[in-house]
Amino acid sequence: MPSDGIPRIGMPRNGISEKVMPAGGIAKPRLTREQIAQRAALELPDGAYVNLGWGIPNLIAGHLPKGITVYFHSENGILGMGPRAKPGEEDFDLVDAMKVPVTLIPGASFFHQADAHVMTRGGHLDVAVLGGFQVSEKGDLANWRIPGAKGPGGIGGAMDIAAGAKTLIVCMEHSTKDGAPKIVKRCTYPLTALECVDTIVTDLAVIDVKPEGLLLREVAPCWSAEEVQALTGAPLIVRRQIPEMSFA
Amino acid sequence: MPSDGIPRIGMPRNGISEKVMPAGGIAKPRLTREQIAQRAALELPDGAYVNLGWGIPNLIAGHLPKGITVYFHSENGILGMGPRAKPGEEDFDLVDAMKVPVTLIPGASFFHQADAHVMTRGGHLDVAVLGGFQVSEKGDLANWRIPGAKGPGGIGGAMDIAAGAKTLIVCMEHSTKDGAPKIVKRCTYPLTALECVDTIVTDLAVIDVKPEGLLLREVAPCWSAEEVQALTGAPLIVRRQIPEMSFA
Amino acid sequence: MVGGFGGAGFPNNLIQALARKGAKNITAVSNNCGTRDGELGIMFKNNQIKHVIAAFPGPHANHFLERFAAKEVTLELVPQGILCERMRAAAAGLQGFYTTVGVGTEVAAGKEERVLEERRCILERPIHADYALIKAQTADELGNLTYRLAARNFNPIMAMAAQTTIAEVEEIVPIGAIHPEHVVTPAIFVHRIVQAKGIRYAE
Amino acid sequence: MVGGFGGAGFPNNLIQALARKGAKNITAVSNNCGTRDGELGIMFKNNQIKHVIAAFPGPHANHFLERFAAKEVTLELVPQGILCERMRAAAAGLQGFYTTVGVGTEVAAGKEERVLEERRCILERPIHADYALIKAQTADELGNLTYRLAARNFNPIMAMAAQTTIAEVEEIVPIGAIHPEHVVTPAIFVHRIVQAKGIRYAE
């Protein structure tokens, strides 16, 4: 047992560029992007003010549990976004942060971009959900540029959102397309913010970032804690029998 | 002639606490507060955005030349104030910075106090007119507390306004009630802002604060440059024959 | 934090309730310190406030002035626009800002001074608050607010700056009854709404 | 400074005119760097911009990306909310502010870092501009502006921050036709108004 007294399961032979594959190389089913979004949607409390970032987070709005009202914030100055506009009903003065035409729900409001970021940076959003390229065991997030990619990248609102949200959830695949872990001891990609992530929802697991380390909360159906650990670049704390991910 | 080559008329035996009286102690007529306001009103260009402070400045709105439109700003969040409300027509949600009910002119707008001070501090007001207890020869202003007065005094919006107005005019009596000069080499009262005043309009003169010193522009009817200098605690620059104050 | 500029936009009903409740040792942030028994006056009369941050205590703040003279309350006097910005900094998650306002004056005492943009300026820090008591005209049931005329003043800034914002309003309308473009304070900044007929005190 | 978030609230008519005029060596401040030939795209196509300050150049900013790759344009990448605050600081006469945003990232490179409010933060400086080109929905003849839906975005901030603000609007109404409580950008911030039918480019 490590000297801090917290039980950990066996550490992988770590290394970010090393491809870590499931034992025997057998491809087990992983969650789809929609399923990741569906699981993350359960983290949103009724009545919460929530910002959804690009990628998987943007799919969450379509998976809200029945009976839950969430006020979606967009950093271009909207609170209370509804679903995407239907074809033929788009209004290009009413777009979300991805510049996709959306609708409003009752109680919506408009404001300018500086006030929109008073909300992000000032700690007024209950939950923000961002995509991620890497998350470190301390909760550092890298999500705006892949080294070596063409062009300068783009920060957008991610740094303000990451710095300020009361609760920050990252939705991403557990591994890169090359099989490298995206949850790592230290981020090697350009950082978005330090020690900002509270929870990671991937196609394999739900993991909470705690002061003592990464706490494995749930695993995807058919996956064991050990198998998830083998694909994770930082040690996971396993306090008890890990339940399967719930979707409702 | 002083070593800087600028002609000055005879300096008074200076000293802020010393009572400086006109030669022979004969009381000449000075302008009334309304007349000071009337003269200062001529400094406001057509279409200007203007903030008027407490005291004499507040009287200026009643003396605008015909055909001139000025957009009066109030730091509690109004642009486009009109005259004071008539008795019986007061609305106590529509008050000026002195908390007196006012009216609006067409084109008026409301905004919150932070935006009101974006306008003051950010250099957006064309002219601000403040009252003054002392103005120094460098244009330092003291206008919020008299030493020894009861209570802690109050700054209000004066410091933001003084720091930011494109042109700052001070309207005040030329001397204190005790006869001491209010235009001084250095302010001895608590300061409002350093090197902020552009023009001083008093019951005796119009004086511009220039990099080279205080430039006497006009004197009150029946007053000579020498007589005004005798009541001024800092040297005045007199470049030419000084005209009488104009009121239209 | 307590909104209003004099009586305009001042949450008198909330302050009356706070006076009845009797909470003590309050640090208050408000532009003024009351008009006789009106506005914050009753709080000073009851000796409920131990420290106040204000721009203009005011000539009719007799209860404040008595407590201040008796050293029963302390005062931080802040330029009005800087008071707004310090609250906004707290609202916006900023840790401080530099301003030329107050340079060379009593306000600069004890503050860091440096030259930026070729001008002398001082470092001002955020003002945080546990509660903002504000006054608005209309709330929808979600907490979106609009204000009447110049009763807006400090209220939208304080609503953003406090941990918990309690709004006294003249009327509550159904969700969606305020046009989204006309909302001044979005509901995210408003935590409680109290409907009450506005109280006015003579200036 | 050029308003808009993608195409929403982007002053395409003003930019088309600036493209025809052919002004060169422009430093541009805008959230995005264009959508193919739309929005700022034409300015990069014409090589009129030498430096751009942006939060999100964008995946369809092909003309910018080509100029950037050829080192014909330089870029300062700024977090979006900090971009807003730096412009607002210029508007508000503030000389700088501290923020936790960007600490420990590339954005912090070369910036002063210190601990305030028990948090690591960096010093950010104002962004001034000679001109703001913005898009609004309605202007009155004095220059009071309102915006349509989320086309508001950066426009009110840029209007405050520039020396001269030129607003492209869909309609001009008589003075007084906009309710004083509904004005979003007061006329003091608006120096020229140009009426033009909005242009849209596909994203």
Side-chain angles (χ1 to χ4, degrees):
Chain A
M1 216 189 272
S3 60
D4 61 4
I6 297 167
R8 288 181 173 81
I9 56 177
M11 276 284 295
R13 288 161 306 147
N14 200 340
I16 289 136
S17 62
E18 185 189 348
K19 296 187 185 183
V20 183
M21 296 290 289
I26 299 155
K28 285 205 192 191
R30 295 174 173 223
L31 301 190
T32 63
R33 289 162 59 87
E34 291 287 350
Q35 287 171 317
I36 297 173
Q38 190 181 349
R39 174 60 190 85
L42 299 182
E43 300 287 307
L44 306 184
D46 190 23
Y49 293 98
V50 175
N51 183 290
L52 301 180
W54 289 50
I56 299 171
N58 204 259
L59 304 172
I60 290 174
H63 293 284
L64 282 184
K66 280 210 161 61
I68 296 284
T69 304
V70 168
Y71 298 94
F72 288 113
H73 167 274
S74 189
E75 55 265 39
N76 53 323
I78 313 173
L79 204 55
M81 281 191 299
R84 289 186 173 186
K86 290 178 191 153
E89 295 178 9
E90 299 98 339
D91 185 327
F92 286 89
D93 283 343
L94 180 52
V95 297
D96 66 8
M98 294 170 73
K99 288 141 194 166
V100 174
V102 292
T103 58
L104 297 181
I105 65 171
S109 55
F110 296 108
F111 34 86
H112 60 55
Q113 203 106 6
D115 279 350
H117 282 294
V118 165
M119 296 177 194
T120 65
R121 216 175 32 240
H124 304 280
L125 292 177
D126 296 305
V127 183
V129 191
L130 295 177
F133 298 148
Q134 289 183 329
V135 176
S136 83
E137 64 179 341
K138 289 199 180 301
D140 299 347
L141 171 65
N143 84 339
W144 67 275
R145 189 158 61 84
I146 296 177
K150 228 182 96 187
I155 296 169
M159 286 194 184
D160 296 273
I161 293 167
K166 283 182 205 146
T167 300
L168 180 62
I169 299 170
V170 169
C171 286
M172 62 181 188
E173 277 97 11
H174 208 89
S175 316
T176 68
K177 281 174 188 156
D178 296 336
K182 297 176 72 171
I183 300 172
V184 295
K185 287 190 77 71
R186 281 169 194 277
C187 295
T188 54
Y189 288 14
L191 285 168
T192 304
L194 300 175
E195 301 184 17
C196 58
V197 179
D198 295 289
T199 295
I200 312 166
V201 180
T202 75
D203 48 358
L204 297 186
V206 179
I207 296 167
D208 292 321
V209 183
K210 297 285 187 185
E212 61 270 26
L214 298 173
L215 188 68
L216 185 62
R217 200 200 316 167
E218 296 175 13
V219 291
C222 306
W223 288 77
S224 71
E226 289 73 14
E227 287 166 335
V228 170
Q229 175 66 81
L231 294 173
T232 305
L236 299 173
I237 301 168
V238 183
R239 290 206 196 272
R240 51 184 168 78
Q241 186 63 32
I242 303 298
E244 258 192 18
M245 271 179 171
S246 55
F247 291 91
Chain B
M1 214 187 273
S3 60
D4 61 4
I6 297 168
R8 287 182 174 80
I9 54 178
M11 275 285 294
R13 289 162 306 149
N14 201 340
I16 287 137
S17 61
E18 185 188 350
K19 295 188 188 185
V20 183
M21 295 291 288
I26 299 156
K28 284 206 192 191
R30 296 173 172 224
L31 301 190
T32 63
R33 290 162 59 89
E34 291 287 349
Q35 286 171 317
I36 298 172
Q38 191 181 348
R39 175 61 193 82
L42 299 181
E43 300 287 307
L44 306 184
D46 190 22
Y49 293 98
V50 176
N51 182 290
L52 301 180
W54 288 51
I56 300 171
N58 205 259
L59 304 172
I60 290 174
H63 292 284
L64 281 185
K66 279 210 162 58
I68 296 283
T69 304
V70 168
Y71 298 94
F72 287 113
H73 167 273
S74 189
E75 56 263 41
N76 53 323
I78 314 174
L79 204 56
M81 280 192 300
R84 290 187 172 184
K86 289 178 191 150
E89 295 177 11
E90 299 98 338
D91 185 326
F92 286 90
D93 282 344
L94 181 51
V95 297
D96 66 10
M98 293 170 73
K99 288 141 194 165
V100 173
V102 291
T103 59
L104 297 181
I105 66 172
S109 56
F110 296 108
F111 34 85
H112 60 54
Q113 203 107 6
D115 279 350
H117 282 294
V118 165
M119 297 179 193
T120 65
R121 216 175 32 239
H124 304 280
L125 293 176
D126 296 304
V127 184
V129 191
L130 295 177
F133 297 149
Q134 290 183 328
V135 177
S136 82
E137 63 179 344
K138 289 197 179 302
D140 300 346
L141 172 65
N143 85 337
W144 67 274
R145 189 158 61 84
I146 296 177
K150 226 181 98 186
I155 296 169
M159 286 194 184
D160 297 272
I161 293 167
K166 283 181 202 145
T167 300
L168 180 62
I169 299 171
V170 169
C171 287
M172 62 182 189
E173 277 98 11
H174 208 90
S175 316
T176 67
K177 281 177 189 154
D178 297 336
K182 297 176 72 170
I183 300 172
V184 295
K185 287 189 77 68
R186 282 169 193 277
C187 295
T188 53
Y189 288 13
L191 284 168
T192 304
L194 299 175
E195 302 183 16
C196 57
V197 180
D198 295 289
T199 296
I200 313 165
V201 180
T202 74
D203 49 358
L204 298 186
V206 178
I207 296 167
D208 291 322
V209 183
K210 297 285 187 186
E212 61 269 25
L214 298 173
L215 187 69
L216 185 61
R217 199 200 316 167
E218 297 175 13
V219 291
C222 307
W223 287 78
S224 70
E226 289 74 14
E227 287 166 338
V228 170
Q229 175 66 81
L231 293 173
T232 305
L236 299 174
I237 302 168
V238 183
R239 290 204 196 272
R240 51 183 167 78
Q241 186 61 33
I242 303 298
E244 257 192 17
M245 272 179 171
S246 56
F247 291 91
Chain C
M1 293 176 179
V2 186
F5 183 82
F10 189 92
N12 273 306
N13 286 290
L14 296 180
I15 289 297
Q16 295 289 327
L18 191 57
R20 284 194 298 275
K21 189 181 156 92
K24 295 267 186 192
N25 292 317
I26 292 169
T27 295
V29 185
S30 198
N31 187 59
N32 306 112
C33 292
T35 307
R36 288 176 281 272
D37 286 4
E39 296 132 36
L40 273 192
I42 190 165
M43 300 292 286
F44 291 106
K45 187 178 184 180
N46 292 356
N47 212 9
Q48 293 178 273
I49 295 174
K50 66 170 180 182
H51 181 61
V52 60
I53 302 174
F56 195 83
H60 304 303
N62 51 314
H63 292 300
F64 161 74
L65 290 170
E66 282 164 25
R67 297 287 178 193
F68 182 77
K71 297 190 195 305
E72 289 167 346
V73 59
T74 53
L75 167 72
E76 181 182 358
L77 202 55
V78 178
Q80 193 179 87
I82 299 308
L83 182 62
C84 295
E85 286 299 316
R86 291 178 62 190
M87 293 190 286
R88 187 183 176 280
L94 305 177
Q95 284 69 42
F97 59 87
Y98 288 102
T99 177
T100 61
V101 175
V103 167
T105 77
E106 292 180 8
V107 162
K111 289 175 185 159
E112 175 189 310
E113 181 179 321
R114 68 193 287 182
V115 173
L116 286 175
E117 308 242 298
E118 300 177 358
R119 304 188 61 181
R120 289 171 64 191
C121 48
I122 54 177
L123 176 61
E124 291 283 1
R125 307 288 297 276
I127 299 175
H128 297 274
D130 297 317
Y131 292 93
L133 307 183
I134 66 165
K135 169 79 199 290
Q137 182 66 18
T138 303
D140 72 12
E141 288 167 352
L142 191 59
N144 289 301
L145 303 181
T146 63
Y147 303 87
R148 188 168 174 272
L149 307 176
R152 189 179 303 196
N153 55 64
F154 287 88
N155 290 300
I157 299 299
M158 291 178 171
M160 299 197 298
Q163 281 296 312
T164 300
T165 293
I166 305 173
E168 171 183 335
V169 302
E170 301 268 338
E171 59 168 351
I172 299 177
V173 298
I175 293 179
I178 302 175
H179 189 297
E181 292 176 359
H182 296 167
V183 170
V184 177
T185 295
I188 192 173
F189 297 123
V190 181
H191 307 93
R192 317 262 187 282
I193 314 167
V194 178
Q195 186 178 7
K197 182 87 192 93
I199 300 173
R200 293 247 168 243
Y201 294 88
E203 195 66 5
Chain D
M1 293 176 178
V2 186
F5 184 82
F10 189 92
N12 272 307
N13 286 289
L14 297 181
I15 289 296
Q16 294 290 325
L18 190 58
R20 284 194 298 275
K21 188 181 156 98
K24 295 267 185 193
N25 293 316
I26 292 169
T27 295
V29 185
S30 198
N31 187 58
N32 306 113
C33 291
T35 307
R36 291 176 279 273
D37 285 5
E39 297 132 34
L40 273 192
I42 190 165
M43 301 292 285
F44 290 107
K45 187 178 185 183
N46 292 355
N47 211 10
Q48 293 178 273
I49 294 175
K50 65 168 182 185
H51 182 60
V52 60
I53 302 173
F56 195 83
H60 303 304
N62 51 313
H63 292 301
F64 161 76
L65 290 170
E66 282 164 25
R67 298 286 178 193
F68 182 77
K71 297 192 195 304
E72 290 167 346
V73 60
T74 53
L75 168 72
E76 182 183 357
L77 202 54
V78 178
Q80 192 177 89
I82 299 307
L83 183 61
C84 295
E85 286 299 315
R86 289 178 62 189
M87 294 191 285
R88 187 183 177 279
L94 305 177
Q95 283 69 43
F97 60 88
Y98 287 103
T99 177
T100 60
V101 176
V103 167
T105 77
E106 293 181 9
V107 162
K111 288 173 185 161
E112 175 189 311
E113 181 179 323
R114 68 194 288 183
V115 173
L116 286 174
E117 308 242 301
E118 300 178 358
R119 305 189 61 182
R120 288 172 64 190
C121 48
I122 55 177
L123 176 62
E124 291 282 1
R125 307 288 297 275
I127 300 176
H128 298 274
D130 297 316
Y131 293 93
L133 307 183
I134 66 165
K135 169 79 198 292
Q137 183 65 19
T138 303
D140 73 12
E141 289 168 350
L142 190 60
N144 290 303
L145 303 180
T146 63
Y147 303 87
R148 186 166 175 272
L149 308 175
R152 188 179 304 196
N153 55 63
F154 287 89
N155 290 299
I157 299 299
M158 291 179 172
M160 298 196 299
Q163 280 297 310
T164 301
T165 293
I166 306 173
E168 171 184 333
V169 302
E170 301 269 337
E171 60 168 350
I172 298 177
V173 298
I175 293 179
I178 302 175
H179 190 296
E181 292 175 0
H182 295 166
V183 170
V184 176
T185 295
I188 191 172
F189 297 123
V190 181
H191 307 94
R192 316 261 186 283
I193 315 168
V194 178
Q195 187 178 8
K197 182 85 192 95
I199 300 173
R200 294 245 168 246
Y201 295 89
E203 194 68 3

